[in-house]
Amino acid sequence: MSSTTAKRAGGEWLDAWDPENEETWDKRLAWTTLSITTFTLTLCFASWFLASAIAPKLTNLGFDLTQSQLYWLTSLPGLAGGLMRLGWMVMPPVLGTRKLVTLTTLLLIFPVLGWAVRIQDPTTPYWELLALSFLSGIGGGAFSGFMPSTSYFFPRRLQGTALGLQAGIGNFGVSLVQLLTPWIIGFSMIGFLGSSQTMQGLPGKQASEVWYQNASFVYIPFILIGAALAWTMLKSVPVTSNIRQQFDIFKSQDTWWMTLIYIMTFGTFSGLAAQFGLLMKNLYGAGNAEIVQGAGASAQLLIDGYSVPDPVKYVFLGPLVGAAARVVFSPLTDRMGGARWTLASGIGLVASIAWTMTALVPDTSSAEALRSDFNTFLWGMLAIFLFSGIGNASTFKQMPMIFERRQAGGVIGWTAAIAAFGPFLFGVGLTIMSPTTFYAIGIAWAVMCIAITWMRYARPGAPKPS
């Protein structure tokens, strides 16, 4: 036993932990760890994507913000999450699961409480909103610490299922915040938490009284509960690996191939989850000047004959589909292998992105044409989320099969860190280029990943079958 392991034996640190030994493996502890870390990871994702649920309605609340500024608000959590994941990825062997999960969960209070307070004042400076968006990245950074920590507790044969459940259910935090927000803001919770605000409705609809601070305040009690559970019930596996040793993953070409592939899957999931609401608003809702403004009878026809969609009623569906796919397909990757499902994910993404591209320039000639294009757009987006979710499950089955245990945790953390830049890259991309051009780049990326997956992992006689 090394000196590092000896110092960590006892207390919160486990001794002689080997999940591959069926006789000594503590299944109950492993599944307890998965349950608690999944609960807290869900809160992390909710915190990370608060801006995506709040930003589309800021102008309706009286905030004077441009379309570009709103894109940046939903993009910055992705930039921050990606940067923070680079730090969180090396923390599991250093801090251990108990301290890592507890401290990270408590840190969520800063962005969540900040949004709750500042959302009540339409004169809040834009730089403060950007700062809160950046702090929301704490929730995104957590993923690269939580997932490797959980992988230490399960044998390889179950890691596809375990990691798929944790990541998939954690991803439901995105849908949770987007689904809960429009409901929870509709009534007063506790008087001292703040007063109501007037929110302007969609064209032709009346303004409503809302308590938008509820969208953040509601998570505070659960954050405190999650931190308490983590501190009292979690243990830590004494993985003897310092920060320098963890960087040996970059010597393997598979680290880089899997990074490109995970950008295709989780980068797409997180990027579109953050931008779905604004994209829908700008293409088919109140952000489309041709629909809402215009002149004369034509504009009135489109307003009256076409029901302008409220993004908050739809945006939760995409992350919900993606998260559900990750959960459902994870056990299948354990049975059938991950590479073939990654291949299917890439092919499905190419087809669904191409389908959606046909609706990125809405036909405003008539209400019927506009409604048809919107349906194409919505179903195409849901298909993209579906196939990205399948790929999220399959890649996390592949990595523990390709790398040995210590390296697999590091690769999971690294690939997750880079793919977490998805919301930032998608936001910037949709700001500087047309949606059609951006989606075309997505197809090209997916084709590249299909080729990598086939040649390296999926074909008969592949160098690293997984």
Side-chain angles (χ1 to χ4, degrees):
M1 179 182 294
S2 70
S3 60
T4 304
T5 305
K7 292 178 183 177
R8 291 180 166 185
E12 75 169 277
W13 295 95
L14 297 168
D15 186 19
W17 178 261
D18 181 11
E20 302 299 338
N21 187 337
E22 191 68 27
E23 294 182 0
T24 60
W25 178 46
D26 189 340
K27 297 180 182 179
R28 181 175 180 180
L29 175 60
W31 289 102
T32 297
T33 301
L34 178 64
S35 299
I36 294 173
T37 55
T38 299
F39 172 67
T40 52
L41 185 62
T42 303
L43 295 173
C44 288
F45 268 89
S47 171
W48 192 22
F49 280 83
L50 259 179
S52 72
I54 290 173
K57 290 296 185 182
L58 286 178
T59 54
N60 299 77
L61 293 170
F63 286 79
D64 185 16
L65 300 171
T66 66
Q67 188 178 111
S68 178
Q69 286 176 317
L70 292 176
Y71 269 128
W72 274 103
L73 283 180
T74 55
S75 301
L76 205 56
L79 175 63
L83 293 173
M84 292 182 188
R85 283 187 180 191
L86 296 175
W88 256 266
M89 65 175 279
V90 300
M91 288 296 104
V94 178
L95 291 180
T97 301
R98 174 188 285 182
K99 291 188 182 72
L100 178 67
V101 176
T102 301
L103 294 175
T104 301
T105 304
L106 288 174
L107 285 174
L108 299 178
I109 291 176
F110 290 99
V112 170
L113 186 60
W115 277 118
V117 173
R118 302 311 290 156
I119 197 68
Q120 300 180 60
D121 182 7
T123 65
T124 298
Y126 182 58
W127 70 265
E128 288 189 24
L129 298 179
L130 287 175
L132 289 174
S133 286
F134 189 87
L135 285 176
S136 296
I138 294 171
F143 190 88
S144 285
F146 285 30
M147 296 296 287
S149 290
T150 301
S151 71
Y152 299 151
F153 286 86
F154 287 87
R156 286 189 174 187
R157 63 182 178 82
L158 290 177
Q159 286 198 9
T161 298
L163 296 180
L165 287 172
Q166 180 171 38
I169 296 174
N171 290 166
F172 278 123
V174 183
S175 288
L176 175 67
V177 72
Q178 294 175 339
L179 177 62
L180 187 61
T181 295
W183 173 73
I184 198 70
I185 64 174
F187 57 90
S188 174
M189 294 176 66
I190 303 175
F192 68 84
L193 294 181
S195 58
S196 64
Q197 298 166 273
T198 299
M199 183 169 70
Q200 297 300 317
L202 294 171
K205 295 186 179 181
Q206 295 183 345
S208 58
E209 184 180 21
V210 296
W211 289 261
Y212 227 80
Q213 64 271 22
N214 294 357
S216 294
F217 275 131
V218 68
Y219 298 105
I220 298 293
F222 297 100
I223 289 172
L224 296 175
I225 292 171
L229 290 173
W231 184 254
T232 57
M233 299 184 69
L234 294 184
K235 296 288 186 180
S236 299
V237 176
V239 177
T240 56
S241 174
N242 59 38
I243 293 177
R244 178 185 294 180
Q245 289 172 328
Q246 293 183 60
F247 287 148
D248 67 356
I249 62 174
F250 300 118
K251 297 178 182 179
S252 170
Q253 63 172 299
D254 291 297
T255 298
W256 303 104
W257 297 136
M258 291 306 301
T259 299
L260 295 175
I261 293 170
Y262 199 56
I263 290 173
M264 175 187 73
T265 61
F266 186 77
T268 298
F269 171 84
S270 61
L272 287 182
Q275 305 301 334
F276 192 12
L278 281 176
L279 189 60
M280 182 183 297
K281 179 180 180 180
N282 293 332
L283 292 177
Y284 288 95
N288 190 325
E290 290 185 73
I291 299 173
V292 178
Q293 297 173 1
S298 177
Q300 190 64 38
L301 168 66
L302 291 179
I303 293 174
D304 293 341
Y306 167 71
S307 180
V308 178
D310 186 351
V312 300
K313 295 181 179 180
Y314 295 95
V315 292
F316 75 93
L317 290 172
L320 180 66
V321 169
R326 190 167 197 166
V327 172
V328 171
F329 280 85
S330 290
L332 295 178
T333 65
D334 274 334
R335 296 177 189 175
M336 303 171 62
R340 63 182 63 185
W341 284 111
T342 300
L343 199 64
S345 168
I347 295 171
L349 282 171
V350 169
S352 54
I353 293 173
W355 167 273
T356 309
M357 285 179 65
T358 64
L360 294 179
V361 181
D363 182 354
T364 58
S365 62
S366 68
E368 183 179 355
L370 196 55
R371 190 175 298 110
S372 176
D373 278 355
F374 173 73
N375 288 333
T376 298
F377 170 78
L378 179 61
W379 285 106
M381 290 289 287
L382 295 183
I384 294 173
F385 277 108
L386 170 66
F387 288 109
S388 67
I390 292 173
N392 288 337
S394 60
T395 50
F396 268 47
K397 172 61 178 178
Q398 287 183 264
M399 286 182 271
M401 302 301 294
I402 296 170
F403 301 91
E404 57 98 358
R405 179 174 296 276
R406 177 185 60 79
Q407 286 188 319
V411 174
I412 288 171
W414 165 257
T415 56
I418 300 305
F421 287 109
F424 175 71
L425 296 176
F426 274 59
V428 172
L430 291 171
T431 300
I432 64 176
M433 66 184 74
S434 71
T436 301
T437 301
F438 188 74
Y439 274 55
I441 293 173
I443 288 180
W445 192 280
V447 170
M448 174 186 68
C449 291
I450 291 171
I452 293 171
T453 302
W454 173 254
M455 295 300 298
R456 187 73 182 167
Y457 308 111
R459 66 181 173 86
K464 291 285 185 176
S466 53

Coordinates of all heavy atoms in Angstrom, one line a residue, residues 105-171:
T105 N -21.8 21.3 -4.5 CA -23.2 21.5 -4.4 C -23.5 22.8 -3.6 O -24.3 23.6 -4.0 CB -23.9 20.3 -3.6 OG1 -23.6 19.1 -4.3 CG2 -25.4 20.5 -3.6
L106 N -22.7 23.1 -2.6 CA -22.8 24.3 -1.8 C -22.5 25.5 -2.7 O -23.1 26.6 -2.6 CB -22.0 24.3 -0.6 CG -22.4 23.4 0.5 CD1 -21.4 23.3 1.7 CD2 -23.8 23.8 1.1
L107 N -21.5 25.4 -3.6 CA -21.2 26.5 -4.5 C -22.3 27.0 -5.4 O -22.3 28.1 -5.9 CB -19.9 26.2 -5.3 CG -18.6 26.1 -4.6 CD1 -17.5 25.6 -5.5 CD2 -18.2 27.5 -4.0
L108 N -23.3 26.1 -5.7 CA -24.4 26.4 -6.5 C -25.2 27.5 -6.0 O -25.9 28.2 -6.7 CB -25.3 25.2 -6.7 CG -24.7 24.0 -7.4 CD1 -25.7 22.8 -7.5 CD2 -24.1 24.3 -8.8
I109 N -25.1 27.7 -4.6 CA -25.9 28.8 -4.0 C -25.6 30.2 -4.6 O -26.5 31.0 -4.8 CB -25.7 28.8 -2.5 CG1 -26.3 27.5 -1.9 CG2 -26.3 30.0 -1.8 CD1 -26.1 27.4 -0.4
F110 N -24.3 30.4 -5.0 CA -23.9 31.7 -5.4 C -24.7 32.1 -6.7 O -25.3 33.2 -6.7 CB -22.4 31.8 -5.6 CG -21.7 31.7 -4.3 CD1 -21.1 30.6 -3.8 CD2 -21.5 32.9 -3.5 CE1 -20.4 30.5 -2.6 CE2 -20.8 32.9 -2.3 CZ -20.3 31.7 -1.9
P111 N -24.6 31.4 -7.8 CA -25.4 31.8 -9.0 C -26.9 31.7 -8.8 O -27.6 32.6 -9.3 CB -24.9 30.8 -10.1 CG -24.4 29.6 -9.3 CD -23.9 30.1 -8.1
V112 N -27.4 30.7 -8.1 CA -28.8 30.6 -8.0 C -29.4 31.7 -7.2 O -30.4 32.3 -7.6 CB -29.2 29.2 -7.3 CG1 -30.6 29.1 -7.0 CG2 -28.8 28.1 -8.2
L113 N -28.8 32.1 -6.1 CA -29.3 33.2 -5.2 C -29.1 34.5 -6.0 O -29.9 35.4 -5.9 CB -28.5 33.2 -3.9 CG -29.0 34.2 -2.9 CD1 -30.4 34.0 -2.5 CD2 -28.1 34.2 -1.6
G114 N -28.0 34.6 -6.7 CA -27.7 35.9 -7.5 C -28.8 36.1 -8.5 O -29.3 37.3 -8.6
W115 N -29.2 35.1 -9.3 CA -30.2 35.3 -10.3 C -31.5 35.7 -9.6 O -32.3 36.5 -10.1 CB -30.4 34.0 -11.1 CG -29.5 33.7 -12.2 CD1 -28.6 32.7 -12.3 CD2 -29.4 34.5 -13.4 NE1 -27.9 32.9 -13.5 CE2 -28.4 34.0 -14.2 CE3 -30.0 35.7 -13.8 CZ2 -28.0 34.5 -15.4 CZ3 -29.6 36.2 -15.1 CH2 -28.6 35.6 -15.8
A116 N -31.8 35.0 -8.5 CA -33.1 35.3 -7.8 C -33.2 36.8 -7.4 O -34.3 37.4 -7.4 CB -33.2 34.4 -6.6
V117 N -32.1 37.3 -6.9 CA -32.1 38.7 -6.4 C -32.1 39.7 -7.6 O -32.9 40.6 -7.7 CB -30.9 39.0 -5.5 CG1 -30.8 40.5 -5.1 CG2 -31.0 38.1 -4.3
R118 N -31.2 39.5 -8.6 CA -31.0 40.5 -9.6 C -32.1 40.5 -10.7 O -32.3 41.5 -11.4 CB -29.6 40.4 -10.3 CG -28.5 40.5 -9.3 CD -28.6 41.7 -8.4 NE -28.4 43.0 -9.1 CZ -28.9 44.1 -8.8 NH1 -29.7 44.2 -7.7 NH2 -28.7 45.2 -9.5
I119 N -32.8 39.4 -10.9 CA -33.8 39.3 -11.9 C -35.0 40.2 -11.5 O -35.8 40.5 -12.4 CB -34.3 37.8 -12.0 CG1 -35.1 37.6 -13.3 CG2 -35.2 37.4 -10.8 CD1 -34.2 37.7 -14.5
Q120 N -35.1 40.6 -10.3 CA -36.2 41.5 -9.9 C -36.0 42.9 -10.2 O -37.0 43.7 -10.1 CB -36.4 41.4 -8.4 CG -36.7 39.9 -7.9 CD -36.8 39.8 -6.4 OE1 -37.7 40.5 -5.8 NE2 -36.0 39.1 -5.7
D121 N -34.8 43.3 -10.7 CA -34.6 44.7 -11.0 C -34.2 44.9 -12.5 O -33.1 44.5 -12.9 CB -33.4 45.2 -10.1 CG -33.1 46.7 -10.3 OD1 -33.9 47.4 -11.1 OD2 -32.1 47.2 -9.7
P122 N -35.1 45.4 -13.3 CA -34.8 45.6 -14.8 C -33.6 46.5 -15.0 O -33.1 46.6 -16.2 CB -36.1 46.1 -15.3 CG -37.1 45.7 -14.4 CD -36.5 45.8 -13.0
T123 N -33.2 47.3 -14.0 CA -32.1 48.2 -14.2 C -30.7 47.6 -13.9 O -29.7 48.2 -13.9 CB -32.2 49.5 -13.4 OG1 -32.2 49.1 -12.0 CG2 -33.6 50.2 -13.7
T124 N -30.8 46.3 -13.6 CA -29.5 45.6 -13.3 C -28.5 45.7 -14.4 O -28.9 45.4 -15.6 CB -29.8 44.1 -13.0 OG1 -30.7 43.9 -11.9 CG2 -28.5 43.3 -12.7
P125 N -27.3 46.1 -14.2 CA -26.3 46.3 -15.3 C -26.1 45.0 -16.0 O -26.1 43.9 -15.4 CB -25.1 46.8 -14.5 CG -25.5 47.4 -13.2 CD -26.8 46.5 -12.9
Y126 N -25.8 45.1 -17.3 CA -25.6 44.0 -18.1 C -24.4 43.2 -17.6 O -24.4 41.9 -17.7 CB -25.4 44.4 -19.6 CG -25.2 43.2 -20.5 CD1 -26.2 42.2 -20.7 CD2 -24.1 43.2 -21.3 CE1 -26.0 41.2 -21.5 CE2 -23.9 42.1 -22.2 CZ -24.8 41.1 -22.3 OH -24.7 40.1 -23.2
W127 N -23.4 43.8 -17.1 CA -22.2 43.1 -16.7 C -22.5 42.2 -15.5 O -21.9 41.2 -15.3 CB -21.0 44.1 -16.3 CG -21.3 44.9 -15.1 CD1 -21.8 46.2 -15.0 CD2 -20.9 44.6 -13.7 NE1 -21.8 46.7 -13.7 CE2 -21.3 45.7 -12.9 CE3 -20.4 43.4 -13.2 CZ2 -21.1 45.6 -11.5 CZ3 -20.2 43.4 -11.8 CH2 -20.6 44.5 -11.0
E128 N -23.5 42.6 -14.6 CA -23.8 41.8 -13.5 C -24.5 40.5 -14.0 O -24.3 39.4 -13.5 CB -24.8 42.5 -12.5 CG -24.0 43.6 -11.7 CD -24.9 44.1 -10.6 OE1 -25.9 43.5 -10.2 OE2 -24.7 45.3 -10.2
L129 N -25.4 40.7 -15.0 CA -26.0 39.5 -15.6 C -25.0 38.5 -16.2 O -25.1 37.3 -16.1 CB -27.1 39.9 -16.6 CG -28.2 40.8 -16.1 CD1 -29.1 41.2 -17.3 CD2 -29.0 40.1 -15.1
L130 N -24.0 39.1 -16.9 CA -22.9 38.3 -17.5 C -22.1 37.6 -16.4 O -21.8 36.4 -16.5 CB -22.0 39.2 -18.3 CG -22.5 39.7 -19.6 CD1 -21.4 40.6 -20.2 CD2 -22.8 38.5 -20.6
A131 N -21.9 38.3 -15.2 CA -21.2 37.6 -14.1 C -22.0 36.5 -13.6 O -21.4 35.4 -13.2 CB -20.9 38.7 -13.0
L132 N -23.3 36.6 -13.5 CA -24.2 35.5 -13.0 C -24.2 34.4 -14.0 O -24.2 33.2 -13.6 CB -25.6 36.0 -12.7 CG -25.8 37.0 -11.5 CD1 -27.2 37.5 -11.5 CD2 -25.4 36.2 -10.2
S133 N -24.2 34.7 -15.3 CA -24.1 33.6 -16.3 C -22.8 32.9 -16.1 O -22.8 31.6 -16.3 CB -24.2 34.2 -17.7 OG -25.5 34.6 -18.0
F134 N -21.7 33.6 -15.9 CA -20.4 32.9 -15.7 C -20.4 32.0 -14.5 O -19.9 30.9 -14.5 CB -19.3 33.9 -15.7 CG -17.9 33.3 -15.7 CD1 -17.3 33.1 -17.0 CD2 -17.2 33.0 -14.6 CE1 -16.1 32.5 -17.0 CE2 -16.0 32.4 -14.6 CZ -15.4 32.2 -15.9
L135 N -20.9 32.5 -13.4 CA -21.0 31.7 -12.2 C -21.9 30.5 -12.3 O -21.6 29.5 -11.7 CB -21.5 32.6 -11.0 CG -20.5 33.6 -10.4 CD1 -21.2 34.4 -9.3 CD2 -19.3 32.9 -9.8
S136 N -22.8 30.6 -13.2 CA -23.7 29.4 -13.5 C -22.9 28.2 -14.0 O -23.3 27.1 -13.9 CB -24.8 29.7 -14.5 OG -25.7 30.7 -13.9
G137 N -21.7 28.5 -14.6 CA -20.8 27.5 -15.1 C -20.3 26.5 -14.0 O -19.8 25.4 -14.3
I138 N -20.5 26.9 -12.7 CA -20.1 26.0 -11.6 C -20.9 24.7 -11.8 O -20.3 23.6 -11.6 CB -20.4 26.6 -10.3 CG1 -19.5 27.8 -10.0 CG2 -20.3 25.6 -9.1 CD1 -19.9 28.6 -8.8
G139 N -22.2 24.8 -12.1 CA -23.0 23.6 -12.3 C -22.5 22.8 -13.5 O -22.6 21.5 -13.4
G140 N -22.0 23.4 -14.5 CA -21.5 22.7 -15.6 C -20.1 22.0 -15.3 O -19.8 20.9 -15.7
G141 N -19.3 22.7 -14.5 CA -18.0 22.2 -14.2 C -18.1 20.9 -13.4 O -17.2 20.0 -13.5
A142 N -19.1 20.8 -12.6 CA -19.3 19.6 -11.7 C -19.3 18.3 -12.4 O -18.8 17.3 -11.9 CB -20.6 19.8 -10.9
F143 N -19.8 18.3 -13.6 CA -19.9 17.0 -14.4 C -18.6 16.3 -14.5 O -18.5 15.1 -14.3 CB -20.5 17.3 -15.8 CG -20.9 16.1 -16.6 CD1 -22.2 15.6 -16.5 CD2 -20.0 15.5 -17.4 CE1 -22.5 14.5 -17.2 CE2 -20.3 14.4 -18.2 CZ -21.6 13.9 -18.1
S144 N -17.5 17.0 -14.7 CA -16.2 16.4 -14.9 C -15.6 15.9 -13.6 O -14.6 15.2 -13.6 CB -15.2 17.4 -15.6 OG -15.6 17.5 -17.0
G145 N -16.2 16.3 -12.5 CA -15.8 15.7 -11.2 C -16.7 14.6 -10.8 O -16.2 13.5 -10.3
F146 N -18.0 14.8 -10.9 CA -18.9 13.8 -10.5 C -18.8 12.5 -11.2 O -18.9 11.4 -10.6 CB -20.3 14.3 -10.6 CG -20.7 15.3 -9.5 CD1 -19.7 16.2 -9.0 CD2 -22.0 15.5 -9.1 CE1 -20.0 17.1 -8.0 CE2 -22.3 16.5 -8.2 CZ -21.3 17.3 -7.6
M147 N -18.7 12.5 -12.6 CA -18.7 11.3 -13.4 C -17.5 10.4 -13.1 O -17.7 9.2 -12.9 CB -18.9 11.7 -14.8 CG -20.1 12.4 -15.2 SD -21.6 11.4 -14.9 CE -21.4 10.2 -16.3
P148 N -16.3 10.9 -13.1 CA -15.2 10.1 -12.8 C -15.3 9.5 -11.4 O -14.9 8.3 -11.1 CB -14.0 11.0 -12.9 CG -14.4 12.1 -13.8 CD -15.8 12.3 -13.6
S149 N -15.8 10.3 -10.4 CA -15.9 9.8 -9.1 C -16.8 8.6 -9.0 O -16.6 7.6 -8.3 CB -16.5 10.9 -8.2 OG -15.6 11.9 -7.9
T150 N -18.0 8.7 -9.7 CA -18.9 7.6 -9.7 C -18.3 6.4 -10.4 O -18.6 5.2 -10.0 CB -20.2 8.0 -10.4 OG1 -20.8 9.1 -9.7 CG2 -21.2 6.9 -10.4
S151 N -17.5 6.6 -11.5 CA -17.0 5.4 -12.2 C -16.1 4.6 -11.3 O -15.9 3.4 -11.6 CB -16.2 5.9 -13.4 OG -15.0 6.6 -13.1
Y152 N -15.5 5.2 -10.3 CA -14.6 4.4 -9.4 C -15.4 3.3 -8.7 O -14.8 2.3 -8.2 CB -13.9 5.3 -8.4 CG -13.0 6.3 -9.0 CD1 -12.8 7.6 -8.3 CD2 -12.3 6.2 -10.2 CE1 -12.0 8.5 -8.8 CE2 -11.5 7.2 -10.7 CZ -11.4 8.3 -10.0 OH -10.5 9.3 -10.5
F153 N -16.7 3.5 -8.5 CA -17.4 2.6 -7.6 C -18.0 1.4 -8.3 O -18.6 0.5 -7.7 CB -18.6 3.4 -7.0 CG -18.1 4.3 -5.9 CD1 -17.7 5.6 -6.2 CD2 -18.1 3.9 -4.6 CE1 -17.2 6.5 -5.2 CE2 -17.7 4.8 -3.5 CZ -17.2 6.0 -3.9
F154 N -18.0 1.4 -9.7 CA -18.7 0.3 -10.5 C -17.7 -0.5 -11.3 O -16.7 0.0 -11.8 CB -19.8 0.9 -11.4 CG -21.0 1.4 -10.6 CD1 -21.0 2.7 -10.1 CD2 -22.1 0.6 -10.4 CE1 -22.1 3.1 -9.4 CE2 -23.2 1.0 -9.7 CZ -23.2 2.3 -9.2
P155 N -18.0 -1.8 -11.5 CA -17.2 -2.6 -12.4 C -17.4 -2.2 -13.8 O -18.5 -1.6 -14.1 CB -17.7 -4.0 -12.1 CG -19.1 -3.9 -11.6 CD -19.1 -2.6 -10.8
R156 N -16.5 -2.5 -14.7 CA -16.6 -2.1 -16.1 C -17.9 -2.6 -16.7 O -18.5 -1.9 -17.6 CB -15.4 -2.7 -16.9 CG -14.1 -1.9 -16.6 CD -13.0 -2.4 -17.5 NE -11.8 -1.6 -17.4 CZ -10.8 -1.6 -18.2 NH1 -10.8 -2.5 -19.2 NH2 -9.7 -0.9 -18.0
R157 N -18.3 -3.8 -16.4 CA -19.5 -4.4 -17.0 C -20.8 -3.5 -16.8 O -21.8 -3.7 -17.5 CB -19.7 -5.8 -16.6 CG -20.0 -6.0 -15.1 CD -20.2 -7.4 -14.7 NE -20.4 -7.6 -13.3 CZ -21.6 -7.4 -12.7 NH1 -22.6 -7.1 -13.4 NH2 -21.7 -7.5 -11.4
L158 N -20.8 -2.7 -15.7 CA -21.9 -1.9 -15.4 C -21.7 -0.4 -15.5 O -22.6 0.4 -15.2 CB -22.3 -2.2 -13.9 CG -22.9 -3.5 -13.6 CD1 -23.2 -3.7 -12.1 CD2 -24.2 -3.8 -14.3
Q159 N -20.5 0.0 -16.0 CA -20.3 1.4 -16.1 C -21.1 2.1 -17.2 O -21.5 3.3 -17.0 CB -18.8 1.6 -16.3 CG -18.0 1.4 -15.1 CD -16.6 2.0 -15.1 OE1 -16.3 2.8 -16.0 NE2 -15.7 1.6 -14.2
G160 N -21.4 1.4 -18.2 CA -22.3 2.0 -19.2 C -23.7 2.4 -18.6 O -24.2 3.5 -18.8
T161 N -24.2 1.4 -17.8 CA -25.5 1.7 -17.2 C -25.4 2.7 -16.1 O -26.2 3.7 -16.1 CB -26.0 0.4 -16.6 OG1 -26.3 -0.6 -17.6 CG2 -27.4 0.6 -15.8
A162 N -24.4 2.6 -15.2 CA -24.3 3.5 -14.1 C -24.0 5.0 -14.6 O -24.7 5.9 -14.1 CB -23.1 3.1 -13.2
L163 N -23.0 5.1 -15.5 CA -22.7 6.5 -15.9 C -23.8 7.0 -16.8 O -24.1 8.2 -16.8 CB -21.4 6.5 -16.7 CG -20.2 6.1 -15.9 CD1 -18.9 6.1 -16.8 CD2 -20.0 7.0 -14.7
G164 N -24.5 6.2 -17.5 CA -25.6 6.6 -18.4 C -26.8 7.1 -17.5 O -27.4 8.1 -17.8
L165 N -27.1 6.4 -16.4 CA -28.1 6.8 -15.5 C -27.8 8.1 -14.8 O -28.6 9.0 -14.8 CB -28.4 5.7 -14.4 CG -29.1 4.5 -14.9 CD1 -29.1 3.4 -13.8 CD2 -30.5 4.8 -15.3
Q166 N -26.5 8.2 -14.4 CA -26.2 9.5 -13.7 C -26.2 10.7 -14.7 O -26.8 11.7 -14.3 CB -24.8 9.4 -13.1 CG -24.3 10.7 -12.4 CD -23.1 10.5 -11.6 OE1 -22.1 9.8 -12.0 NE2 -23.0 11.2 -10.5
A167 N -25.6 10.5 -15.8 CA -25.5 11.6 -16.8 C -26.9 11.9 -17.3 O -27.3 13.1 -17.5 CB -24.6 11.3 -17.9
G168 N -27.7 10.8 -17.6 CA -29.0 11.0 -18.2 C -30.0 11.7 -17.3 O -30.6 12.6 -17.7
I169 N -30.0 11.2 -16.1 CA -30.9 11.8 -15.1 C -30.4 13.2 -14.7 O -31.2 14.1 -14.5 CB -31.1 10.9 -13.8 CG1 -31.7 9.5 -14.2 CG2 -31.9 11.6 -12.7 CD1 -31.8 8.5 -13.1
G170 N -29.1 13.3 -14.6 CA -28.6 14.7 -14.4 C -29.0 15.6 -15.5 O -29.3 16.8 -15.2
N171 N -28.9 15.2 -16.7 CA -29.3 16.0 -17.9 C -30.8 16.4 -17.8 O -31.2 17.5 -18.4 CB -29.1 15.3 -19.2 CG -27.7 15.1 -19.6 OD1 -27.4 14.3 -20.5 ND2 -26.8 15.8 -18.9

